[in-house]
Amino acid sequence: METKFLLLWLEAPLQSWGFDSKFGRRDTLGFPTKSGVLGLLLCALGAGGEQRELLARFAGLRQTVISFRDKDRARPLVLHDFQMIGAGYDDKDKWEKHHIPKTSEGKAAVGGGTKMTHRYYLQDAVFAVILEIPADIADACAGALKNPVWPLFLGRRCCVPSDFVYQGTFGTESDAEAAAMQKALSHESRKLLADFRVVDGESEDGDAFTLNDVPVQFGRVKKYQDRRVTKILLNMPDGEP
């Protein structure tokens, strides 16, 4: 299968890339997941529902993430946001009661509908994502990212990108990476330095681990497969080993 490479620039005040979250605790990984990036792409395409056939075309293709940080600063901090869900609503009001959490059967929760959640976000993070895609849908993906059907967000709906996500389509991964480095060097307001790279597969150059983030099925019942990745450190902040 002939492929091409999309260069996506993910920059925002807040990003959150959940990979092992439950309702009460919404963690974030330190870089974009493949499920999150493909979710963004499908939002741009307006592709809702399960999308099993489309997702299967991306399953075996590569994703490389390059993380950038400000040259004179440490890595982005994690913001912990404590929220109350369903508090202060009147269950007698036919509209307000829709905001109160229910059980899976649609009934009132035991002890009331108020739930506490802990949500985590990356602050001022910058990532370049090089996504391998089938060549026959490259133009459609590029057009959708420039004129998305549904709004784009970086992990959660409150995480709105502060720069154009689409940065070009390339014939090779090395060309896409060169464009990402040039984008970082020419940033208008920040002096960016490549911090680490996350690549598919195992490499002796970094730490390898497994992520369950390759989407097989979206929709109401989501299904994922494992992906082996390696995180390779590039430029360490001062004071870190």
Side-chain angles (χ1 to χ4, degrees), residues 6-7 14 22-23 28 31 46 49 65 85 101 120 122 126 128 132 155 162 197 205:
L6 289 180
L7 174 58
L14 296 176
K22 304 300 181 183
F23 179 81
T28 179
F31 54 87
V65 176
I85 307 299
Y120 295 83
L122 301 175
V126 181
E132 187 178 17
S162 57
R197 179 185 285 110
D205 297 329

Side-chain angles (χ1 to χ4, degrees), residues 4-8 10 17 33-48 51 54-55 57-59 61-63 129-134 137-155 165-166 168-169 215 218:
K4 292 188 176 181
F5 295 86
L6 289 180
L7 174 58
L8 310 179
L10 308 183
W17 304 99
T33 59
K34 188 166 186 177
S35 57
V37 171
L38 289 179
L40 181 151
L41 180 58
L42 265 60
C43 276
L45 291 165
Q51 295 296 330
L54 180 57
L55 290 173
R57 302 196 67 190
F58 292 97
L61 302 183
R62 300 194 302 276
Q63 173 177 292
V129 175
I130 302 170
L131 182 67
E132 187 178 17
I133 63 171
I137 59 172
D139 290 342
C141 291
L145 288 166
K146 289 186 283 187
N147 296 284
V149 175
W150 297 325
L152 304 183
F153 51 89
L154 307 187
V165 170
Y166 176 71
T169 304
F218 281 148

Side-chain angles (χ1 to χ4, degrees), residues 14-25:
L14 296 176
Q15 300 185 39
S16 189
W17 304 99
F19 72 107
D20 188 26
S21 298
K22 304 300 181 183
F23 179 81
R25 184 181 179 89

